[in-house]
Amino acid sequence: MDYYFETRQMCVGYHKRPLIKDIEIGLKKGEILTLIGPNGAGKSTVLKSIARQLEMISGVVYLDKEDMTRMSGTKLSQKMAVVLTDKIKTEMMTCEDVVATGRYPYTGRFGILSKEDYEIIKEAMELVHITEIKDKDFGEISDGQRQRVMLARAICQEPEIIILDEPTSYLDVKYKLEFLSILQEMQRKKGLTVIMSLHELELAARVSDKILCIRGEYVDRFGKPEEIFAPGYIVELFSIASGSFDEENGSMELEAPKKEAKVFVIAGGGTGRNVYRSLQRQGIAFITGILFENDVDYPVAKALASEVICSQSFEPISEDALQRARQKLASCTSVICCRKKFGTLDKENSELLHCAREWGIKVDYVPFQNREN
């Protein structure tokens, strides 16, 4: 297959000492690749080597079928833009001045900006919402603003490929989503190819066409998000010893309380997740059910509950599940009911609530913040 970007037997490291060997990547034009892996695994080293800011130990990197090591600096800067975590040094430069440096690969030896260049600079600043700070000193703005200025600078280069190292690390939720939306828009409209590293696994799963997993001396996995985020893999990749990560929905949860559960939570349909997390924060162990296995409450329940009474999806709740729930309910001293009403498919939960009242078990209804524990 012909790739727009490709690495063959790439080996990277420092002072000729290999850190990661045999990196094989193939990307079509317009694909987004995200590197993930533990801190210190070498993601930044790979990106710096691709960007020619760090010399490879061995291997070849092809960009549009051309060996990148043979490209002139000007040609490479017209094809590739780079935004790394290293802070650039500026003296008396406004944010607009920094963004404008993205046009220098096109200005010739005198570096004179044309009317068209200024239009491109203006559009780039508007795209990442930094027009209001264009006259501010670049050295005096926040890290999040600095990140958006550097993105605008990269956009100004009108690159075919962009290299980004943890580009969302200083951005709040609003700008994280806007930033990734901008990348997707440029990918779709201009065929921009993106290679980046991200800590936010849920974002990586949503925005990436391909994911490269780095662990140890070699690439651990390379493929589509649905191939990478297989059950149990992220826990293995990051050596997660406490808490949990659910690859299917990107849910990350803290460790469940290790106590005898005396609280039974009747939930379902997304009504229980906040309750489960509140109990975990208070260190209160709990049992919950009866949940269908495809219920949105189920992943959080599975991570935080001492026990989950569940029933097969798309099937009536079994008599066996109901009996197990009754047995567990009988061992509890209080019930939290998150439901206002029950449907025909889970009427057994209504029976559990009736049992709790009949047996004299204390029942609290959400909101339950003021209840005595």
Side-chain angles (χ1 to χ4, degrees):
M1 181 182 292
D2 289 335
Y3 292 111
Y4 171 74
F5 175 87
E6 187 177 10
T7 66
R8 296 181 185 172
Q9 296 183 322
M10 182 182 181
C11 178
V12 302
Y14 294 89
H15 310 299
K16 296 186 178 181
R17 295 180 61 183
L19 179 63
I20 307 170
K21 306 173 184 175
D22 297 333
I23 304 169
E24 301 277 342
I25 303 171
L27 297 177
K28 299 175 185 176
K29 188 172 179 61
E31 288 192 312
I32 295 179
L33 168 68
T34 302
L35 279 60
I36 65 172
N39 286 337
K43 300 184 294 294
S44 296
T45 304
V46 173
L47 295 177
K48 287 179 180 179
S49 299
I50 291 172
R52 275 190 10 188
Q53 295 190 4
L54 183 66
E55 187 177 355
M56 292 188 302
I57 293 175
S58 62
V60 186
V61 178
Y62 293 99
L63 184 59
D64 203 11
K65 299 182 182 179
E66 186 175 351
D67 185 343
M68 280 179 52
T69 60
R70 298 180 181 178
M71 288 184 180
S72 67
T74 300
K75 183 175 182 180
L76 182 61
S77 60
Q78 289 175 349
K79 282 183 169 287
M80 177 184 286
V82 181
V83 181
L84 300 179
T85 52
D86 301 335
K87 293 184 178 180
I88 65 169
K89 295 179 180 179
T90 59
E91 293 184 11
M92 304 297 291
M93 289 181 72
T94 66
C95 294
E96 186 176 28
D97 292 335
V98 174
V99 175
T101 62
R103 294 305 300 163
Y104 289 166
Y106 303 95
T107 57
R109 68 175 65 183
F110 297 110
I112 299 173
L113 297 171
S114 67
K115 182 180 178 181
E116 181 184 356
D117 289 324
Y118 281 112
E119 282 298 317
I120 293 171
I121 293 165
K122 181 173 178 286
E123 289 174 7
M125 289 192 295
E126 289 174 349
L127 190 61
V128 299
H129 307 291
I130 59 166
T131 304
E132 69 278 6
I133 63 168
K134 68 185 182 71
D135 295 323
K136 286 190 175 183
D137 188 313
F138 180 74
E140 296 178 0
I141 60 176
S142 70
D143 287 334
Q145 290 172 323
R146 188 176 291 113
Q147 196 79 333
R148 285 186 284 143
V149 170
M150 296 306 294
L151 176 59
R153 176 179 180 266
I155 291 170
C156 264
Q157 286 181 235
E158 298 183 300
E160 295 178 8
I161 183 170
I162 186 169
I163 309 296
L164 303 155
D165 190 10
E166 299 295 346
T168 60
S169 56
Y170 297 112
L171 303 181
D172 60 28
V173 174
K174 173 186 174 182
Y175 288 119
K176 282 182 198 288
L177 295 174
E178 283 189 1
F179 169 79
L180 294 176
S181 296
I182 289 167
L183 287 185
Q184 279 196 333
E185 185 178 358
M186 294 178 69
Q187 173 202 29
R188 292 165 183 163
K189 291 184 177 179
K190 299 184 178 182
L192 179 71
T193 304
V194 179
I195 300 177
M196 63 180 170
S197 61
L198 284 178
H199 277 309
E200 298 93 335
L201 299 179
E202 69 282 6
L203 295 181
R206 285 159 177 74
V207 76
S208 309
D209 296 296
K210 300 283 178 61
I211 292 180
L212 185 83
C213 306
I214 298 175
R215 180 174 61 167
E217 292 186 348
Y218 297 93
V219 170
D220 202 57
R221 286 191 186 184
F222 173 65
K224 298 177 182 178
E226 55 268 29
E227 297 169 340
I228 300 301
F229 288 90
Y233 177 65
I234 295 299
V235 172
E236 178 188 335
L237 177 66
F238 287 88
S239 302
I240 297 174
S242 61
S244 64
F245 182 87
D246 190 296
E247 287 86 355
E248 189 171 337
N249 57 31
S251 173
M252 187 186 308
E253 304 295 342
L254 296 173
E255 194 169 11
K258 291 184 170 66
K259 298 178 180 178
E260 184 182 2
K262 291 296 183 180
V263 176
F264 194 103
V265 181
I266 299 174
T271 61
R273 290 175 296 178
N274 290 338
V275 173
Y276 300 153
R277 288 167 179 153
S278 178
L279 291 171
Q280 189 277 340
R281 288 193 295 272
Q282 297 173 68
I284 300 172
F286 64 92
I287 300 165
T288 188
I290 304 167
L291 296 177
F292 292 108
E293 292 173 343
N294 65 342
D295 194 295
V296 290
D297 278 337
Y298 182 72
V300 183
K302 191 170 68 169
L304 298 182
S306 299
E307 186 171 347
V308 182
I309 313 299
C310 60
S311 189
Q312 188 175 343
S313 306
F314 310 113
E315 296 287 344
I317 290 177
S318 66
E319 181 63 27
D320 178 63
L322 179 58
Q323 291 303 322
R324 283 188 289 116
R326 281 178 175 156
Q327 289 173 4
K328 294 298 178 181
L329 178 64
S331 68
C332 293
T333 57
S334 67
V335 169
I336 299 172
C337 182
C338 306
R339 303 284 295 279
K340 290 183 179 179
K341 58 183 179 179
F342 301 93
T344 54
L345 291 179
D346 69 338
K347 63 183 186 303
E348 287 76 8
N349 282 322
S350 179
E351 291 184 35
L352 289 179
L353 186 60
H354 177 74
C355 286
R357 294 181 185 134
E358 196 174 65
W359 297 343
I361 299 173
K362 182 183 177 184
V363 178
D364 288 320
Y365 295 87
V366 176
F368 63 98
Q369 286 83 351
N370 296 324
R371 78 181 186 88
E372 295 181 3
N373 296 321

